Amino acid sequence: MKDRLTDSLATAIEHGRTGLDARMQALSGKLAYADTAYALPVTYAVTGIAVRDADGAREAYRQSGSNLLVACECLMAGEGGVEIPYTGFIPDAVLRRLGYTLVDGSVTGLGLLVGTPESPDAAAAICREMQEKYLLTFLAGGVVEALSGAGVRLGLDYRLVPLGPESARGIHFADILARVAMMFGGVQPGDVHSLLGYAAERAKAFVIAFPGLTDEEAAFVDALRVLGIPILAAGKGYEGGEWIPVAPATAVRTGMDLRGIRVTVTAIPIPMACSPAFEGKSIRKEEMYVEFGGGRTPAFELLRMRPREEVKDGKVTVVGPEVDAVPAGAALPLAILVDVAGARMRADYEPVLERRIHTFVNYGEGSWHVAQRDLIWVRLSKEAVAKGVRIRDIGTLLAHKLKAEFPDHIDAVQVTLVTDRQKVEGMLSEAREAYARRDERISGMKDEDVETFYSCTLCQTFAPNHVCVITPERPALCGAITWLDARVAHEIAPAGANQPVPKGETVDAVCGEFAGVNRFVKKASHGEVDRISLYSMIENPMTACGCFECIAAIVPEVNGILVVSRDFTGETPLGMTFSTLAGTIGGGAQTPGFIGISKNYILSDRFLQAENGITRVVWMPASLKEELGDRLREKLAALGMPDLFAKIADEVSAPTIEDLVAFLERVDHPALAMRSLI
Amino acid sequence: MAMKALDIYKHLPKTNCKKCGYPTCLAFAMKLAVGKAEVEACPDLDPDTKSLLGGVTRPPVRLVTIGAGERSIAVGEEFVLFRHEKTFYHPPGIMVQVSDTWPEDEVRSVVETVKETVVQRVGQDLVVNGVAVKYESNRPERFAATVALAGGGSTLPLVLIASDPAAFEAGLAVAGHYRPLVHAATEENWEGLAALTKRYGCPLAVRAAGPAELASLAGKCAEAGTPDLVLDPAPSSLAGFIATATEIRRSAIGRTEPALGYPLYLDAGAFGKTDAALAAGILKYAGIIVTPPLASASREAALTLRQNIYTDPQKPIQVTPGIYPINEPGPDAPILLTVNFSLTYFTLLGYLEASRIPCYLFIADTEGLSVLTAVAGGKLTETLVADSLKKFGVADLVDHRLLVIPGYAAPLSGKIEDATGWKVLVGPRDAADLPGYLEKEWKA
Amino acid sequence: MTEQSDEGLTIREVRLGATREEGGTREVSYVIGGERDLPFSGDGAGRPLVALEICDDPRFWPPVVRDYVGDLANDTAEWARAAERTYGADLVRLNFTSTKQRGFDAFDAIAATTEEVLAATARPLIVEGSNEPELDSEVFRRCGEAGEGERLLLGTAEADRYRSVAAAALAYGHAVIAQSPIDVNLAKQLNILLRETGVPQDRIVIDPYAGALGYGFEYSYSVMERIRLAALSGDADLAMPMICAPTDTLSVREVREAAPADQEAMAVAWEFYTAYAAIVAGASIVCVRHPLTVERLKAALEG
């Protein structure tokens, strides 16, 4: 049974090919379309031959490797025109306008409907959906009459273009694509490679085939697949083969998903306003109707990547009581489970996207969110709940905002909100495992594990030649961007301020000098900086912009390094404050002996490894020492120097250089015995 | 190339004796590295080291002071070719030229205008700096009289332009003790002039066509004991001035020709297009610009351009924090919070003035940071807003308690409400949208 | 594909306008760009062009210009003709200020005005299309179509608003102005976006956004210098000619509040100093609104 069906489409296409072949051989006379500079456009684009007559057509057909689109076009050019309301071949002047709307984004994609629908109403619904999604739809075959019968208005103004009464007139869809590629895509006639590239990347198109195609028509429609156009079979008769069976109701969505066509939705259907303007509004206890987490109840949020088929886009499920089931002032448990799917989604992006939950919930007028992961605390205001806002609406808000902000990475989002205590508690351990896995992935990442670092040139506005190089073990010196963040930022905005930096050959493993990094920095610094070391402050240190969290500075008197953070306003033992130091080393210059760094870099294994790293640090402000606290102790213990923490001086134990010398001698700091830094 | 701080440090005594005025030798080295300290301040360096460090840390363009007293100007001491690389430090002195053939009243009127006209912009008083007296009468005593008419150097800095040694003698007898700039020593007359300016301790302009000729002449004059020089490249066209000035500045910065490390001189009246020459001189490295008397429009535009170009690009002009009434606001006018970054202020001011909506611009001290940076960097906080409201007495100006904050400050809205007790309205992110927002949303 | 080299680059040449031989109706076409060095370095690049701005709805135009041009302000085509023949502008920049009014829908007038101005002028034309993002699609299609073959310079593409301008340039063969807010990297990003849309690099003119003199102009000046230096040191994505159009120059306080007798002089001085400084920073086209500024700039650039 299955075999016979598989055979049927293939056989039909084979029959169709034979028929088209034969008609090509029999073709005679002059061939031309009116009002075009592109001869027979498909043939011209594929072969570079401007066909004028049947002999030329046969030659082009031969050269194209018996491409059926070429055959169909040549055959169609030999036939007469069509009656109004059909358009037939669309002249260049009209096409230029259509192409314009495609490039300028007012049309999101192209669709072709062929055959005769079993249900005119279902076909009408498809057309309505295509209009709503800003698709430009071409129609050929019985579908045109069916739609007219169902009362659908056709014409360019309605973005529904009836090409002709026979499905074979659908060939004009191909000549439209070919001409758009030549007019707008710079595709040269005869350059099949770039034609295919343009059709696949830019002209996002799909075909919906209703039943009733002849063998020849089926063969022609099938031939569109070489342009990367999926054929969706909406009805019986095309089972098996490469056509994708769809129910009419899901046809448009499937086509859009397959081609990555997206429509930006601006209005979110929830009874609350949603805007960055509300981000900072807090909800006080007395204004609060219900709260989740914050210590009163268990609560967490978790965003997970899922296979596409497991995510029903836009679906929001609430498990457990809704907010109107509890009295004002109550607390409910909460699990916010966000499942996302997307062809270009990666598990690495999970934490970055999850962090956006905080921002988006705060965008709601009357919803409030703090902290992250299993520490979240969410409130809905009395005012909002009175207006009809429910916890379900938070799900809708998240689903919409995530898709709108990350259109290239998220194709579908579904949100589950659990307010049932037992269930939330049951899921907590799974969530914590996921957090732990992620932490491990980031913290376990080593510079030698990757081939590509990332740059950040955001600060070039103020520091014209500054280039930050971000590695897994060396976050941006502002502390705000990790290697993963930079990678995601690059994926989301490929032309943006975070660019991939191929490491290239290692020049000096200890100093962290790489040939690829040097090449990149030279270019991105406009030729000002030739070499940088990622792990050294003496040899070609990285430039500093002005946003660094801390400054590491050499203290030559004690052969050590001090680290001072921005919040420390007093003088360092060097006799300079943070801001004096910052003023001297900032602006994008390389200053050996001084670098801007992030706080987290202090704890990295790569921290100034060329200068013996953390063991060389002799002074930090007390506030920084306290902030790094346990993590720094742990780090030192792992190095076998648990007592080093106490040997690092601060502004109390060593306010001046003289005090520092005395202090370090008293505690016998290891830096005193190390090789000289200068 | 200049030497880095750490390399300089290696040559210092490393005693942290503090006699230079800095707490450590490294701190001193860092100041030397950016040309902000003098090697001479260290008492313990041997002459060789001093000269070595002096050569690499001395400002590549010499600071030359012209005039004496309050209106005296210092030009030069520049470190970069393009202002975005760091900043330009010393705006060129603009000197209005008078002739000793002019009637007294005319000279007096020009001098009065230079003395009295002040353009106030963004908290700075902008002035045309001084007067250049040109010797055209062929009568040294008349030249001296005109120099005296121009204040003799005691009020305004002067440039004495002549070619006759007798004229210089006469002019300097009047003004010589007020450091006038003497213009100009040439290949022919430099010996006499150098001796004369050495006697009075005056700065001297040297004039020659082309960098090589200038370098040689400047070298000779410096050798003869006049260290304060100004270079006049005697350009034949304005485009020629820009090209030569760029070349000279580049050599000076690169320290390839120390004898070119002096401020430049431009005669803006030489090409029959004074405005263009003034602009070119301001933009491209002139230290002293001599100009015919200016109409008020040209003067204001030129002074504004000079202020713009000599603003530190890494430390933008800050507007004085406070409350600024716009379009005559009443007690029901909106209070619009913003930051004291000048560009933000000017942009807002432009849109608000054009909108004719009465309002108060309420400027908090974010140390010149823009809204976005100030919010991100924690400079714009609810505490700052609350303190500033009190400090500027905002509550007394209006009969409402509504505060419009910038869109980018939205994350602070709740905290500001808590800290101030005022109701916060979040305005748009873009200044251009503010008038529209106020028209739609503002109801006191 | 970023095409970059370590060698110094030449700024790309961009052709504006099309003569009959080039498929248009202009008496001349201009080629801007081609510099290999900083401005005034004697590298033989052409003289910068001075454009006079006009508009189709003078209600949105500075009073000081309206007072000067009088009735011309109500006849866009005549105003354009005078710009070239009487005031000596190298080219005209036509601003569709009519799109600023609420509920604008006179799209046919956009096409008609473009055609009339083209008929009234003999030199290349800059067209500044819609002021409202919602109108972009229709406005740029109309003016693009009306100017087909004439190689207009169409403005303005911005990072979140470039598709319609790009589409019009592609469909009807025009060049585009790419404007970014005073930032080298944003200028570069926009050029990359335009390239990805299919706009050839030799049809892009960078507008780094110009603040008025005294109102942030120093930022614009420096960013222009930086763009030019980056291009000359090998960044092909920035190696395009630049245009400077400080649109707020005649609305600043100094001009608005000048004594009536001084207002015209102040307007011209303010425009002149801004435009001349932009040329020193590397602009190939400077746009001004007061006819007297055109004359002053051209005189300054002679010789």
Side-chain angles (χ1 to χ4, degrees), chain A residues 93 96-97 99-106 183-185 202 457-458 460-465 493-497 522-523 526-527, chain C residues 4-6 136-138 140-141 145 148 163-168 170-172 182-185 189 192 195-198 226 230 233:
Chain A
R96 219 173 268 284
R97 287 189 195 180
Y100 175 91
T101 59
L102 193 62
V103 176
D104 108 316
S106 38
M183 280 180 195
F184 294 89
R202 302 283 176 82
T457 47
L458 273 176
Q460 287 199 348
T461 316
F462 292 101
N465 300 318
K522 167 130 188 156
K523 205 159 279 180
H526 314 105
Chain C
Q4 284 194 343
S5 73
D6 292 329
D136 281 0
S137 184
E138 194 67 14
F140 283 110
R141 185 174 69 71
E145 200 172 43
E148 184 166 6
R163 293 191 164 276
S164 296
V165 195
L170 286 170
Y172 306 107
I182 324 188
D183 185 292
V184 178
N185 288 312
Q189 279 174 41
I192 295 173
R195 182 179 67 210
E196 285 172 354
T197 310
R226 287 176 60 184
S233 73

Side-chain angles (χ1 to χ4, degrees), chain A residues 511-532:
Chain A
C511 284
E513 186 177 0
F514 302 93
V517 173
N518 284 343
R519 272 194 296 275
F520 185 95
V521 169
K522 167 130 188 156
K523 205 159 279 180
S525 70
H526 314 105
E528 288 298 315
V529 181
D530 293 310
R531 303 171 64 179
I532 65 161

Side-chain angles (χ1 to χ4, degrees), chain A residues 45-346:
Chain A
V46 170
T47 64
I49 300 171
V51 168
R52 309 274 174 229
D53 56 25
D55 288 337
R58 272 185 289 275
E59 173 57 20
Y61 182 53
R62 191 188 62 76
Q63 283 192 21
S64 75
S66 302
N67 183 315
L68 289 185
L69 295 177
V70 170
C72 292
E73 175 174 75
C74 295
L75 293 168
M76 187 57 66
E79 296 194 10
V82 284
E83 300 288 321
I84 287 173
Y86 297 106
T87 62
F89 181 83
I90 294 184
D92 283 357
V94 178
L95 187 71
R96 219 173 268 284
R97 287 189 195 180
L98 293 181
Y100 175 91
T101 59
L102 193 62
V103 176
D104 108 316
S106 38
V107 159
T108 56
L110 303 172
L112 170 66
L113 271 47
V114 292
T116 308
E118 283 156 356
S119 153
D121 288 340
I126 286 180
C127 289
R128 252 197 318 278
E129 194 177 347
M130 300 202 54
Q131 286 168 320
E132 281 164 11
K133 302 288 199 240
Y134 302 97
L135 291 153
L136 176 59
T137 310
F138 296 90
L139 311 158
V143 63
V144 180
E145 237 173 55
L147 287 170
S148 304
V152 177
R153 303 176 70 169
L154 306 179
L156 256 180
D157 291 345
Y158 304 98
R159 295 213 184 91
L160 296 172
V161 185
L163 293 171
E166 310 91 21
S167 295
R169 299 270 171 192
I171 186 60
H172 295 315
F173 191 63
D175 70 52
I176 288 162
L177 288 176
R179 275 183 290 164
V180 167
M182 289 186 282
M183 280 180 195
F184 294 89
V187 172
Q188 295 303 309
D191 183 354
V192 186
H193 186 72
S194 48
L195 175 68
L196 295 182
Y198 187 86
E201 299 288 327
R202 302 283 176 82
K204 298 189 166 165
F206 60 91
V207 175
I208 299 176
F210 295 114
L213 295 183
T214 66
D215 288 354
E216 285 184 9
E217 286 165 350
F220 136 66
V221 169
D222 190 69
L224 287 170
R225 289 192 303 108
V226 301
L227 295 172
I229 299 173
I231 317 293
L232 310 176
K236 294 197 191 69
Y238 311 125
E239 289 79 2
E242 302 291 327
W243 296 16
I244 301 153
V246 288
T250 62
V252 178
R253 206 209 78 191
T254 310
M256 289 178 68
D257 273 4
L258 285 168
R259 297 312 316 269
I261 299 169
R262 286 179 199 88
V263 180
T264 330
V265 182
T266 42
I268 305 177
I270 50 174
M272 71 205 284
C274 175
S275 146
F278 303 116
E279 206 183 328
K281 287 274 179 211
S282 53
I283 298 174
R284 294 185 196 86
K285 198 164 173 46
E286 54 278 16
E287 298 165 336
M288 175 269 287
Y289 184 87
V290 62
E291 65 183 330
F292 310 85
R296 281 182 77 185
T297 56
F300 70 93
E301 64 196 13
L302 182 64
L303 182 141
R304 300 170 299 188
M305 183 176 88
R306 282 283 179 266
R308 180 68 180 88
E309 56 276 14
E310 289 176 27
V311 181
K312 186 164 174 8
D313 188 32
K315 184 178 163 196
V316 177
T317 317
V318 177
V319 181
E322 246 303 353
V323 299
D324 50 354
V326 295
L332 281 170
L334 181 67
I336 303 174
L337 300 168
V338 181
D339 295 335
V340 301
R344 295 179 56 202
M345 178 67 199
R346 300 160 67 141

Side-chain angles (χ1 to χ4, degrees), chain C residues 54-73:
Chain C
I54 64 168
C55 71
D56 73 332
D57 187 339
R59 284 177 303 166
F60 303 97
W61 213 243
V64 64
V65 177
R66 285 198 318 240
D67 291 348
Y68 185 85
V69 301
D71 282 345
L72 281 181

Side-chain angles (χ1 to χ4, degrees), chain B residues 93-378:
Chain B
I94 298 176
M95 321 295 260
V96 179
Q97 182 176 305
V98 297
S99 165
D100 65 351
T101 58
W102 291 2
E104 276 189 21
D105 282 353
E106 206 177 332
V107 174
R108 199 174 280 125
S109 142
V110 169
V111 172
E112 270 318 286
T113 309
V114 172
K115 215 188 295 179
E116 302 302 330
T117 312
V118 177
V119 175
Q120 287 176 323
R121 297 195 86 258
V122 229
Q124 292 184 2
D125 289 344
L126 310 179
V127 294
V128 169
N129 305 85
V131 175
V133 185
K134 189 162 191 185
Y135 177 61
E136 292 177 319
S137 63
N138 270 328
R139 291 165 51 207
E141 73 283 6
R142 169 131 188 146
F143 184 60
T146 312
V147 169
L149 208 52
S154 64
T155 45
L156 295 172
L158 299 182
V159 183
L160 309 186
I161 305 171
S163 44
D164 180 354
F168 284 123
E169 290 279 2
L172 284 173
V174 176
H177 297 295
Y178 297 102
R179 294 184 60 83
L181 174 64
V182 171
H183 182 281
T186 61
E187 198 52 54
E188 292 73 42
N189 70 0
W190 68 271
E191 273 163 305
L193 267 193
L196 194 59
T197 47
K198 184 182 175 187
R199 173 145 57 94
Y200 282 100
C202 292
L204 173 65
V206 298
R207 179 175 164 93
E213 293 77 1
L214 270 175
S216 130
L217 194 54
K220 286 187 276 193
C221 291
E223 192 75 1
T226 45
D228 289 333
L229 300 176
V230 171
L231 310 179
D232 177 357
S236 59
S237 70
L238 194 49
F241 172 77
I242 295 176
T244 312
T246 305
E247 194 184 335
I248 291 174
R249 173 69 80 92
R250 186 174 279 135
S251 313
I253 303 293
R255 298 176 193 271
T256 52
E257 175 50 273
L260 290 176
Y262 297 99
L264 298 181
Y265 178 100
L266 171 66
D267 178 1
F271 318 104
K273 33 190 172 190
T274 305
D275 284 315
L278 263 171
I282 289 165
L283 297 166
K284 290 296 169 186
Y285 317 126
I288 292 294
I289 304 175
V290 171
T291 168
L294 296 171
S296 69
S298 290
R299 178 174 57 229
E300 194 158 347
L303 292 177
T304 305
L305 179 66
R306 186 179 68 177
Q307 183 189 38
N308 272 187
I309 295 302
Y310 279 79
T311 298
D312 184 344
Q314 289 168 17
K315 192 174 149 201
I317 305 182
Q318 298 180 19
V319 183
T320 315
I323 187 103
Y324 291 69
I326 295 172
N327 304 326
E328 295 162 20
D332 58 344
I335 304 283
L336 312 173
L337 172 71
T338 190
V339 296
N340 72 328
F341 175 37
S342 69
L343 192 54
T344 308
Y345 166 76
F346 282 134
T347 313
L348 280 168
L349 193 65
Y351 285 111
L352 291 171
E353 284 185 344
S355 77
R356 307 246 163 259
I357 300 173
C359 56
Y360 287 101
L361 206 47
F362 167 36
I363 299 183
D365 186 359
T366 56
E367 298 169 26
L369 294 182
S370 71
V371 175
L372 201 58
T373 338
V375 171

Side-chain angles (χ1 to χ4, degrees), chain A residues 276-277 279-282 284 462 464 538 554 556-557 573-576 581 583-585 587 590 592-594 657-658 678, chain B residues 4-6 9-10 16 18 23-24 26-27 30-31 34 84 86 313-314 410-415 417-418 424 426 429:
Chain A
E279 206 183 328
K281 287 274 179 211
S282 53
R284 294 185 196 86
F462 292 101
I538 305 284
I554 184 171
E557 292 85 348
L574 289 175
M576 290 177 272
L581 279 166
T584 326
I585 73 166
Q590 281 183 303
F594 304 85
I657 188 70
E658 291 78 15
I678 56 171
Chain B
K4 301 273 190 188
L6 209 50
Y9 174 79
K10 291 175 190 165
N16 294 339
K18 303 182 178 54
T24 65
L26 187 61
M30 292 194 77
K31 287 291 168 191
V34 291
H84 66 255
K86 183 78 182 164
Q314 289 168 17
L412 297 173
S413 60
K415 292 185 200 145
E417 288 194 343
D418 289 348
V424 166
V426 178
R429 290 180 170 186

